[in-house]
Amino acid sequence: MPAQARFCPECGTPLEAELTPAAGPLEERRLLSIVFADLAGFTQRSDHADPEDVRGILVPFHAIAKEEIERFGGMLDKFIGDAALGVFGAPVAHEDDAERAVRAALAIRERVSREGMPVRVAVNTGEALVTTGEGPQVGERVAGDVVNTASRLQNLAPVGDVVVGDTTARATRRVIDYDELPAATVKGKSAPLGLWLARSVRPTIPERDEDDPPPFVGRERERQGLRDLLARTIDDRTPHLVTVVGEPGLGKSRLLADLGEHVRAGSDDVSFHRGRCLPYGESITFAALVEIVRAVVGVAPDESRERAADAVRDYLPMLDATEDEGEWIRSRILALVGPVVGSDEAVDRAESFAAWTRFLELSARRTPLVMVVEDLHWAEPAMLEFLGHVIEQAGSEPLLLLCTTRPELFTTDPSWGTGIARATTLTLSPLSDRDMRELLGALLLVSVVPDDARGSLMRRAGGNPLYAREFVHMLEDGAPGPDADEGRDADDDRGRHTPSVNVPDTVQALIAARLDALAPNDRSLLQAAAVVGDRFWPGALRALEPAIRSDDPLHELQRRGLIRRSPLSTIADESEFAFTHGLIRDVAYGRLPRVARARMHLAVTRWLEASAGDAVRDRADLLASHAVRALDLAKAAGLTEEIPELEGTALRFLVMAGEHQTGIDARRAAEYYARAVELTPTTGAERAELLRLATGLGWRSGAMTSEEAVAAYRSAIGLALDADSPITAAQVMRRLYFQLGLQGKTTEARDVLDEAIDLLE
């Protein structure tokens, strides 16, 4: 048996050198969207061409590709001759990386075509291994089938067009118009590739739920609260700020959409307009305000700025403003929504804010105004400053400003909403189990979802309506269910310790963006916690991240709503923490390469054993899970030198877990023993004894038929006899005698018993 690991007596940190992370490049598994752009026919055109002429074509193309990829938040990975490879999702993930990639692809196609260069562009989304860092050992920065498939899609694209794969199309169909092309069979792919021709970005981005509105469930208190605030704003003619705070997918937009439905159903005397803060693009600082102003004056989002200017001129005379004031407002509003006109005059922000506020104030005087500003966490500081200015400076007019945001807003602007008398904050929590059952019931009415998947959906969605919908869509599209991860270990009474990483791409992108908003140390800490389990302890994290010396590093993860402290701890003298949602753990865990996971699971195993003392058997299930996971990952990663030690560790804890569960859960005990059998030599008394235990418990729990038990017992007897272990063979024969008797084979049973007696004598 390998020597036990040694730990620092003060902090519990493993002393083995191999557990210390090696300096060098960082590898992560990530969900990426790949843009592959290639100049069509360039090889033929450059044949025998002058090198300077070839360079004269490539340089402008490379410049355009790099500029557009980076403009939308991607990373130019490399140029390959006349092809450019862009990556979205690394080194920083955004929740809309697939959309950004398609937008960049369309922009490249548009600009390169204007230069008279025929181009084919493809976008594909999938998992890849990403290497970041410097040094000759780095090699290729992105590796995975997603890159190869993007190249294949590019070869299939018509000249002058952009094609995307199925996953990309599903993630972006709300904002991109597509034509479906016939699926294509390509070399090296077992199934045909789905092809979608990207036509254009929709001029009007619909509400998130417009194409597939979910039923409104729960939130009755918040729903009524918003209606009451609207009525009070109108009756008192007093501006009011409402900030709706919640994690992605909890239903912030749906709650405000419900208020919009209430307004439209109740009266035409209230104007309800919305705008979104954008994370990227041109002129994004006041993008939400531009949307709202255009809506107020009656201009559709896809109409020109010239048309917007005309609408402003027609609308202003309807307001109660003097001629001079109207002209002042008009000049400032046109600077916001009208044609861009060059001027040497410096723009005074304070005066612009005053004019825009007066415009909204007069519009609210004419008709009570509800302004919805979504995604405030993406707002530029100037936009936040303006919104505060509106609430503080607007006069006695019925103006209700509704903002939605994620908790991270308060990291960049901790003072948001403070010091304003007429301000309310609504914080959304996950839906209750009752509300989730109602929501899933409605969603599943229009979905073909097996009954046995509904319980998993409830558990995996964790009270998040968006997650529930995306899991349902995943099942509708024929993807494996939420618990289809191969090798998934059973749960134990401390919570799930081996995550299922089968997460819808849309949900994975949302969570990945939250993780990349963390500082590198906090992100590493969260990934270490993901290895430990749904519940984790600072001591275990110190075994993985030796720099940790206190609970303080966990404060930021708590503040961002990623983890929470548990009121009680299942390990003495250790604070216990848990992930606020299991999917956060799944995504954090899924980013780790297999080698890192294997070694970290082994480190956790050693810490759990070293810190358990005499209570090690009480942790047997957890120890077995981590030890087996470390072994499986090491085998998958090809760590051949470490496998013998890992097999010994896993075998020891599997047997211990089997003993621990024998009187508690026979089925689980049988599973532990069966896995232990796999780790023993193919011959020997130890294998025979474990097979006896696994068979007896398997039959007792109903996991094995009597016929299967008889066959297993006969195999165990042969192993014991070959190993010259008559006592073990006799013990197995006794169990075989019992099984044969149950089958009515009394003569055969008696013969087996006689043979056992002979062996013992």
Side-chain angles (χ1 to χ4, degrees), residues 146 567 693:
V146 62
L693 293 169

Side-chain angles (χ1 to χ4, degrees), residues 74 108 116 202 212 216 247 319 333 387 427 430 440 606 625 689:
I108 292 171
R202 294 184 183 179
D212 184 17
F216 189 94
E247 305 296 345
L319 303 180
I333 291 294
L387 294 176
T427 301
L440 282 173
R606 290 171 170 171
S625 173
E689 174 63 11

Side-chain angles (χ1 to χ4, degrees), residues 287-554:
L289 179 61
V290 170
E291 284 188 78
I292 291 170
V293 169
R294 289 172 71 98
V296 167
V297 301
V299 178
D302 56 342
E303 292 192 72
S304 67
R305 295 177 70 91
E306 288 75 16
R307 171 70 189 95
D310 293 339
V312 168
R313 295 187 183 95
D314 295 340
Y315 177 79
L316 284 174
M318 303 179 192
L319 303 180
D320 184 15
T322 64
E323 184 176 347
D324 290 344
E325 185 181 41
E327 179 58 29
W328 172 65
I329 293 174
R330 185 189 68 81
S331 64
R332 295 301 177 182
I333 291 294
L334 287 180
L336 188 69
V337 302
V340 179
V341 179
S343 174
D344 295 332
E345 181 182 354
V347 177
D348 183 86
R349 175 179 288 185
E351 187 171 345
S352 293
F353 282 9
W356 299 344
T357 300
R358 185 59 176 162
F359 170 81
L360 296 172
E361 184 181 27
L362 293 176
S363 297
R365 178 182 299 175
R366 179 170 179 261
T367 305
L369 176 61
V370 179
M371 289 175 53
V372 176
V373 179
E374 295 209 57
D375 298 329
L376 202 62
H377 48 278
W378 284 332
E380 297 282 339
M383 182 64 179
L384 294 173
E385 182 184 347
F386 169 69
L387 294 176
H389 183 277
V390 169
I391 293 300
E392 292 176 346
Q393 300 300 322
S396 299
E397 304 299 345
L399 172 62
L400 182 61
L401 173 58
L402 300 176
C403 301
T404 67
T405 184
R406 299 174 189 169
E408 46 260 42
L409 168 68
F410 301 102
T411 299
T412 57
D413 189 356
S415 63
W416 171 256
T418 61
I420 299 175
R422 302 180 298 273
T424 301
T425 300
L426 296 178
T427 301
L428 301 188
S429 300
L431 291 178
S432 66
D433 287 348
R434 183 189 64 183
D435 292 334
M436 283 298 290
R437 279 192 292 269
E438 181 182 347
L439 174 63
L440 282 173
L443 291 174
L444 298 177
L445 285 176
V446 293
S447 305
V448 181
V449 178
D451 290 339
D452 58 1
R454 301 190 182 196
S456 296
L457 282 174
M458 274 282 293
R459 179 175 60 80
R460 299 302 309 283
N464 189 301
L466 174 65
Y467 294 177
R469 290 179 57 211
E470 293 305 318
F471 273 118
V472 170
H473 289 328
M474 185 175 71
L475 292 172
E476 287 175 331
D477 292 336
D483 285 329
D485 184 39
E486 287 189 11
R488 176 188 171 88
D489 289 341
D491 295 353
D492 74 348
D493 56 0
R494 294 185 179 89
R496 189 159 48 87
H497 44 78
T498 300
S500 169
V501 293
N502 191 25
V503 182
D505 291 339
T506 48
V507 175
Q508 185 173 347
L510 276 170
I511 297 173
R514 294 183 67 191
L515 300 189
D516 280 348
L518 297 171
N521 288 342
D522 291 327
R523 188 163 62 247
S524 296
L525 193 62
L526 195 71
Q527 289 178 307
V531 174
V532 179
D534 275 353
R535 300 180 185 183
F536 52 92
W537 308 268
L541 299 184
R542 294 185 192 107
L544 305 179
E545 297 285 340
I548 301 171
R549 290 292 179 266
S550 70
D551 295 358
D552 292 342
L554 298 175

Side-chain angles (χ1 to χ4, degrees), residues 541-677:
L541 299 184
R542 294 185 192 107
L544 305 179
E545 297 285 340
I548 301 171
R549 290 292 179 266
S550 70
D551 295 358
D552 292 342
L554 298 175
H555 174 72
E556 179 64 16
L557 300 179
Q558 287 181 272
R559 194 174 66 80
R560 287 179 175 264
L562 297 167
I563 66 172
R564 62 175 179 270
R565 185 189 289 267
S566 303
L568 300 173
S569 178
T570 53
I571 293 183
D573 302 324
E574 281 282 349
S575 300
E576 184 169 290
F577 295 84
F579 285 86
T580 54
H581 199 292
L583 295 182
I584 295 173
R585 185 210 171 188
D586 287 353
V587 174
Y589 183 86
R591 281 191 166 187
L592 292 167
R594 292 177 301 194
V595 171
R597 291 186 206 175
R599 290 175 174 158
M600 293 172 83
H601 276 293
L602 178 59
V604 174
T605 305
R606 290 171 170 171
W607 177 82
L608 285 168
E609 183 180 21
S611 62
D614 295 336
V616 66
R617 291 189 178 277
D618 294 336
R619 300 185 189 175
D621 298 76
L622 200 54
L623 285 161
S625 173
H626 281 290
V628 168
R629 194 67 173 170
L631 173 61
D632 290 344
L633 288 165
K635 287 180 177 178
L639 301 178
T640 54
E641 293 183 0
E642 301 181 28
I643 287 175
E645 177 188 353
L646 291 171
E647 285 182 334
T649 302
L651 176 59
R652 181 161 59 92
F653 289 126
L654 283 168
V655 172
M656 188 184 297
E659 294 170 350
H660 181 253
Q661 286 292 334
T662 294
I664 302 172
D665 186 337
R667 182 183 290 266
R668 179 176 290 188
E671 291 171 353
Y672 285 135
Y673 281 127
R675 185 64 199 271
V677 169

